[in-house]
Amino acid sequence: MRATLNKRKTDAVVTPRALERRALHEFDDGRLVLEHLAGDPQAFGTLVDRYQTRLLNFINRTIGDRERAEDLVQEVFIRVFRHLHRFDQTKKFSTWIYTIASNLAKNELRNRSRNPLVLFQTIKKHWEADHRPLQFEDATARPDDLYRKRYLKEAVDQCVDQLPTHHRAVFVLRELEGKSYAEIAEITGCNLGTVKSRLNRARNSFAQLIEPLLE
């Protein structure tokens, strides 16, 4: 009994460092940037925690290689750490970091295209459920519903993989990441008209590709 009470007391103790980490997670991105620039050693780690999975999903969907995507995510954070003092505080941090990720993904695809061997490799998708508007799993659903959702997820994976690179990028950002047109324009470096045009073509192509799989 005494051991149980002592364990409860130990579990109830919250260290100042834990409280500080908890407080940091309540801050918005801009505040975390300021805290990092002011010398808080934990602020940047909080930004990494907030964006690591999301960026991994985005890059993986774009290049179709999870292992390489993990390397590129690390490169994103290295660049962010080196250049955070130059970040324009009037801009959205999420747009800035996604722009860096998008540029690295584009470079990866460009480098691949120069290697003939890559043209014969099968690109495999491994989408995660986190931070994604489209949800395919539901723990409360019946087994037959789960099967249909998993089949739909596989169909979406297959069809997105067939979209041209520049169409795939805007489709993923809009339909799977939930980004606004303005954010997509800034991330991809295209004007709004181009974004909307590419997205429209991507949606049409996607619809044609997925229709036979759903019959």
Side-chain angles (χ1 to χ4, degrees):
M1 179 67 176
R2 182 176 299 174
T4 301
L5 289 175
N6 288 337
K7 184 178 186 304
R8 288 177 179 173
K9 288 180 180 179
T10 302
D11 293 342
V13 173
V14 180
T15 65
R17 185 176 293 273
L19 287 172
E20 184 179 351
R21 284 199 300 268
R22 188 179 302 172
L24 284 171
H25 281 280
E26 298 295 326
F27 293 162
D28 61 23
D29 294 342
R31 176 69 182 278
L32 287 172
V33 170
L34 293 175
E35 291 292 325
H36 168 73
L37 296 177
D40 188 331
Q42 298 188 64
F44 189 79
T46 304
L47 287 170
V48 172
D49 291 342
R50 185 170 294 176
Y51 282 95
Q52 190 168 32
T53 300
R54 294 160 65 180
L55 292 177
L56 177 59
N57 291 339
F58 167 60
I59 296 176
N60 183 39
R61 291 167 188 152
T62 303
I63 70 173
D65 183 338
R66 186 179 183 82
E67 187 172 335
R68 181 58 183 147
E70 291 173 350
D71 293 336
L72 292 180
V73 168
Q74 295 303 314
E75 179 63 24
V76 170
F77 286 116
I78 289 172
R79 295 192 181 194
V80 169
F81 186 85
R82 289 175 177 171
H83 302 292
L84 197 53
H85 62 286
R86 299 178 184 174
F87 172 61
D88 184 351
Q89 293 286 338
T90 65
K91 305 289 186 179
K92 289 184 65 174
F93 177 80
S94 61
T95 301
W96 184 59
I97 196 170
Y98 265 91
T99 301
I100 295 173
S102 178
N103 288 336
L104 286 173
K106 286 178 185 177
N107 290 339
E108 173 70 15
L109 292 172
R110 189 178 299 115
N111 291 336
R112 280 187 190 182
S113 67
R114 296 171 183 157
N115 182 354
L117 293 177
V118 176
L119 298 177
F120 300 95
Q121 295 177 351
T122 300
I123 296 176
K124 296 182 179 180
K125 296 286 186 178
H126 300 285
W127 287 355
E128 302 290 342
D130 299 323
H131 308 292
R132 183 152 50 87
L134 291 181
Q135 298 294 327
F136 297 100
E137 299 292 340
D138 181 358
T140 64
R142 297 179 304 180
D144 55 338
D145 290 332
L146 286 175
Y147 174 80
R148 282 193 290 269
K149 288 184 178 182
R150 286 170 184 164
Y151 176 82
L152 176 60
K153 174 184 177 298
E154 292 174 0
V156 169
D157 289 350
Q158 179 180 336
C159 295
V160 170
D161 191 41
Q162 295 179 61
L163 295 175
T165 301
H166 52 289
H167 289 171
R168 187 193 315 158
V170 296
F171 186 87
V172 168
L173 286 168
R174 179 63 179 175
E175 304 300 342
L176 306 178
E177 291 286 341
K179 297 297 181 184
S180 69
Y181 292 119
E183 288 176 309
I184 296 172
E186 190 166 350
I187 289 169
T188 60
C190 301
N191 59 47
L192 281 175
T194 300
V195 168
K196 292 179 179 180
S197 175
R198 288 183 178 179
L199 182 60
N200 184 57
R201 292 179 182 177
R203 284 170 171 164
N204 289 336
S205 297
F206 178 81
Q208 292 176 7
L209 289 166
I210 203 168
E211 184 177 4
L213 301 179
L214 301 180
E215 291 178 348

